Amino acid sequence: MSKKFLSFMAAVCLMGAFTACDDEDNANDLNALSRTYEGKSIELKMGEVTLPNSGKSVVLNAAAADKAQLTLNNILPENSSLTLDASLASTGDTYTFNGEGTTTDGTVTVNGTVKEGLLSLSFQRKVTHPVVSTWQLAPGAAAVTAEIATGMPQIDAMAPMVGPLLGNLIAQKVSTVTLTLAESGIFGVAWQKIDATEPVSINQYTEMFSIQYCVKEGAYYLCIDKNYVEVLGQVLTQFAGDKMAELGIDFQQILALFTDLGGYYGLALNMEVTDNQVLFTADKSLLLPVINALYPLISQKVPEAYQPLVNQLMQMLPNAQALNLGLRFVK
């Protein structure tokens, strides 16, 4: 056997050894990359807004050097857990990923990096439900709908007055109410008082704190991150605890009005959407605790002529056969 042949075979074996080492190194890298990122090992952004990461996690499973699966836990209000496919690439010690998944009310796109054990993820929701639009509160008496059935003919005969009464009361205070349900899933609302020249908007705050909305099984949910709710509870207890106690309200009563959505609390409303209007309706299970809590304040705003009607309704509402209150918005 010639020396040239022996040298060639040695080179082939050496290349094979290097290739095997590279494959083993790549496999080890992917195994180390594939894990659950949570707490201090994740940074989360919705667009450019940083989100609190407590209670949230991202599970990354690197199936190969160029593809991975991501599972987002408690990050999206519409899906407490969502798994999606993503492309994967590496440059030096940094991995980058990009992917898209289908949610219950649209899609979500994600992109980010993993470097030195820190996963940085940015996501964008895209809500595709017909409720996405900018809406105006219907004018005057048409703004509020009310369905009240107590089983008492005299009371029920007066019930149709409730909706127009509340709608006109709102119209006496504000000239416009604008509800913005953006494609991004961010909730916004602005209103202009009758005697004001400029509207008041909370949109900058809802964007800053990622106060979102989602649609699940036909219901509308106004969604607030649990981390913010926890802070709000501490603030309310510290600065308004005495007033809340005076009204007979505690923070747990407020939380009981919300649905647990994983990483968010959601206030659920029934919803009917057509081409040019949307009606949001709250039923008895939500309305009764709210009305009872707010009645001391509400009664002070009701005109004296309507006070007997309101008092009678308050006595009958706990046993009402039907109790629904809605807000109508139009384009």
Side-chain angles (χ1 to χ4, degrees):
M1 186 176 294
S2 69
K3 291 182 179 180
K4 289 184 178 180
F5 181 74
L6 291 175
S7 298
F8 172 75
M9 291 301 296
V12 170
C13 291
L14 189 60
M15 290 175 61
F18 279 128
T19 301
C21 288
D22 287 343
D23 289 343
E24 185 176 350
D25 289 342
N26 288 337
N28 289 336
D29 289 344
L30 294 179
N31 286 335
L33 183 67
S34 300
R35 64 185 183 87
T36 298
Y37 296 83
E38 57 188 344
K40 294 182 178 180
S41 68
I42 56 170
E43 291 179 347
L44 301 172
K45 286 187 175 182
M46 182 174 178
E48 298 300 319
V49 177
T50 299
L51 301 181
N53 58 16
S54 178
K56 301 177 175 64
S57 69
V58 177
V59 180
L60 190 153
N61 181 19
D66 61 347
K67 59 183 179 180
Q69 271 193 341
L70 296 173
T71 300
L72 313 181
N73 294 315
N74 296 333
I75 294 174
L76 304 173
E78 65 270 59
N79 293 83
S80 60
S81 182
L82 180 72
T83 299
L84 53 89
D85 294 324
S87 62
L88 187 65
S90 63
T91 303
D93 62 350
T94 302
Y95 286 87
T96 60
F97 57 85
N98 296 275
E100 182 175 328
T102 301
T103 65
T104 59
D105 61 359
T107 61
V108 61
T109 56
V110 302
N111 63 80
T113 62
V114 182
K115 182 177 181 179
E116 298 178 353
L118 175 66
L119 185 147
S120 300
L121 179 142
S122 177
F123 70 94
Q124 290 279 11
R125 296 176 59 214
K126 182 179 180 181
V127 181
T128 57
H129 192 274
V131 78
V132 173
S133 190
T134 299
W135 303 92
Q136 301 292 330
L137 186 66
V144 179
T145 65
E147 179 189 3
I148 302 172
T150 65
M152 300 291 291
Q154 292 180 333
I155 298 296
D156 291 346
M158 294 184 289
M161 301 169 56
V162 174
L165 166 64
L166 294 176
N168 286 324
L169 285 175
I170 293 173
Q172 291 172 18
K173 299 294 183 180
V174 295
S175 58
T176 61
V177 178
T178 302
L179 175 66
T180 303
L181 301 180
E183 188 180 68
S184 64
I186 294 293
F187 163 88
V189 65
W191 62 93
Q192 184 162 340
K193 294 182 179 180
I194 291 293
D195 56 353
T197 57
E198 296 291 335
V200 177
S201 173
I202 65 168
N203 295 1
Q204 60 179 325
Y205 302 108
T206 59
E207 184 171 354
M208 181 187 306
F209 296 106
S210 294
I211 298 178
Q212 305 172 51
Y213 72 94
C214 71
V215 180
K216 298 183 64 168
E217 299 178 352
Y220 171 92
Y221 291 83
L222 176 61
C223 309
I224 306 175
D225 192 296
K226 284 184 175 179
N227 293 282
Y228 296 138
V229 174
E230 181 179 343
V231 173
L232 177 62
Q234 295 171 356
V235 171
L236 284 176
T237 301
Q238 182 176 355
F239 295 102
D242 292 342
K243 185 64 175 178
M244 292 171 64
E246 182 183 327
L247 294 173
I249 305 171
D250 64 44
F251 192 66
Q252 293 304 313
Q253 284 180 294
I254 298 174
L255 281 186
L257 302 177
F258 289 79
T259 301
D260 191 330
L261 298 176
Y264 297 79
Y265 287 116
L267 186 66
L269 297 172
N270 298 319
M271 178 178 62
E272 298 177 20
V273 186
T274 62
D275 290 340
N276 58 4
Q277 74 170 20
V278 58
L279 177 65
F280 299 103
T281 307
D283 59 22
K284 181 179 177 180
S285 63
L286 176 59
L287 284 175
L288 200 55
V290 173
I291 292 173
N292 286 335
L294 296 180
Y295 179 63
L297 300 176
I298 296 173
S299 61
Q300 300 174 16
K301 305 295 183 180
V302 175
E304 185 176 352
Y306 293 106
Q307 195 69 53
L309 171 62
V310 173
N311 291 337
Q312 285 181 305
L313 284 174
M314 288 300 301
Q315 294 174 9
M316 302 301 301
L317 289 181
N319 299 315
Q321 300 167 0
L323 177 59
N324 297 288
L325 194 64
L327 283 178
R328 178 180 286 111
F329 292 83
V330 298
K331 289 185 180 179

